[in-house]
Amino acid sequence: MRIGFVGLGNMGRHMARHLILAGYQVTVHDVRQKAAAEHLALGATWAATPAECAAAADVFITMVPTPRVVEDVMLRAGAAAALPEGALWIDMSTSTPAAAEHVGIRRLDAPVSGMARGAEAGMLQIFVGGAAEDFERARPLFHVMGDPSKVLHVGGLGAGYTVKLMINLLWFCHLVATSEVLAMGVKAGVNLSVLRDSLLASPAASHFLDSDVLCVLNDGDYDDSFAMALACKDLGLAVDLGRDLGVSTELSALVEQIYRRARAQYGDLAGEMSPVRLYETLAGKEFRLTEGGAPCLVSAV
């Protein structure tokens, strides 16, 4: 099977590498040719344009930052028109159904969770929307890039995008709510470790509080592998989707505002957990359990 792969960023570079190591014939493209150096050393072929990357592909994969870039690659750069008859396009970006619909070709939406660590380990969670037969055709590729037990066919076209946006939205809400609770408890004089243990022993326990937030609490690591600019993009897409569907988004819109305030204060490239810093300021101290500790275990976005 010949694979074209566009987008060799923090996630895509690992995903493409796993496909090469699994023995697939892979052609790669990125706006930065130097991003492909490791792939070319492993036997991949370089394509100078997205259209050239698509032209020889049985399966064409995009892993790019925004819906606008998806459309740039597929339409304005000509990848969709260059795909051979019968080829399958798999968009693994966090995007929207509308962006893919504009392209109008045979496709799957298959966004991922697990962050760069999951991509590096080949253990991503993959949420796939599209026809069952196309999902089965692509399943071996997904199993190379992700955890087979967490490769899920979640519905028809667009369902993968929607599930991924909802996962990110809920995770960001968990972060803001947890930060607010920790700030109040700490400022009221409760020991941070005691407060966290109490919350975990209660019906308010969450995976975020148990695991994801440890990178901040142990190491002061706000997870710069996923930038605030991308987090705000995802929140904006989720809120827009809610409005389009006629679903009330007051809470989501507030979380988005808090994220945008953190982005303005700490910068586009600050880590996705930077809103915690806003609440540390309100509490008058950093949220730390120990000096040193476990690595960041962020798993949702």
Side-chain angles (χ1 to χ4, degrees):
M1 183 184 293
R2 301 170 303 168
I3 300 170
F5 198 108
V6 171
L8 303 174
N10 284 340
M11 303 287 287
R13 67 187 182 93
H14 298 301
M15 296 159 66
R17 186 183 66 249
H18 285 300
L19 292 170
I20 298 165
L21 293 174
Y24 290 101
Q25 182 181 337
V26 180
T27 300
V28 296
H29 174 79
D30 192 271
V31 293
R32 305 158 299 123
Q33 185 171 353
K34 65 180 181 181
E38 63 176 321
H39 308 88
L40 301 184
L42 291 171
T45 300
W46 170 254
T49 66
E52 182 182 326
C53 190
D58 300 308
V59 174
F60 183 62
I61 298 173
T62 47
M63 184 62 178
V64 296
T66 68
R68 175 58 188 246
V69 178
V70 171
E71 293 185 11
D72 285 345
V73 168
M74 299 305 297
L75 297 177
R76 288 174 278 277
L83 279 173
E85 184 177 354
L88 176 65
W89 170 40
I90 305 175
D91 185 27
M92 304 190 77
S93 318
T94 300
S95 186
T96 63
E101 287 167 5
H102 291 162
V103 179
I105 61 174
R106 184 183 180 195
R107 66 188 188 275
L108 293 171
D109 46 283
V112 305
S113 288
M115 296 303 300
R117 286 179 177 82
E120 185 174 10
M123 293 298 285
L124 291 168
Q125 302 102 50
I126 305 176
F127 309 98
V128 187
E133 59 269 26
D134 290 333
F135 171 69
E136 290 304 325
R137 178 182 176 187
R139 187 196 291 268
L141 305 180
F142 295 143
H143 285 190
V144 168
M145 296 180 283
D147 177 348
S149 69
K150 296 181 180 179
V151 174
L152 305 178
H153 185 211
V154 295
L157 288 172
Y161 291 138
T162 300
V163 169
K164 176 60 193 307
L165 287 176
M166 296 305 96
I167 290 169
N168 283 14
L169 174 60
L170 187 57
W171 191 89
F172 295 138
C173 290
H174 277 304
L175 182 143
V176 171
T178 299
S179 300
E180 192 169 289
V181 165
L182 295 182
M184 284 191 285
V186 167
K187 196 160 188 178
V190 180
N191 176 273
L192 177 63
S193 180
V194 171
L195 175 59
R196 177 172 173 270
D197 287 346
S198 300
L199 291 168
L200 288 174
S202 79
S206 70
H207 185 275
F208 180 87
L209 184 64
D210 182 47
S211 179
D212 293 351
V213 76
L214 283 178
C215 56
V216 173
L217 303 186
N218 285 331
D219 301 319
D221 173 7
Y222 299 93
D223 188 28
D224 60 7
S225 70
F226 193 80
M228 283 297 296
L230 292 176
C232 289
K233 179 267 294 185
D234 289 355
L235 276 164
L237 293 177
V239 170
D240 287 346
L241 179 61
R243 292 195 188 105
D244 291 344
L245 296 171
V247 175
S248 176
T249 59
E250 289 99 337
L251 176 59
S252 303
L254 180 58
V255 170
E256 182 190 11
Q257 290 176 27
I258 292 168
Y259 258 80
R260 292 195 183 280
R261 178 154 57 93
R263 177 184 179 184
Q265 184 157 341
Y266 303 116
D268 287 354
L269 300 181
E272 63 174 334
M273 301 184 80
S274 293
V276 177
R277 298 169 68 182
L278 297 175
Y279 290 92
E280 289 177 330
T281 299
L282 291 173
K285 63 183 298 184
E286 293 181 330
F287 301 153
R288 301 290 183 270
L289 294 176
T290 60
E291 294 185 7
C296 185
L297 300 174
V298 172
S299 62
V301 300

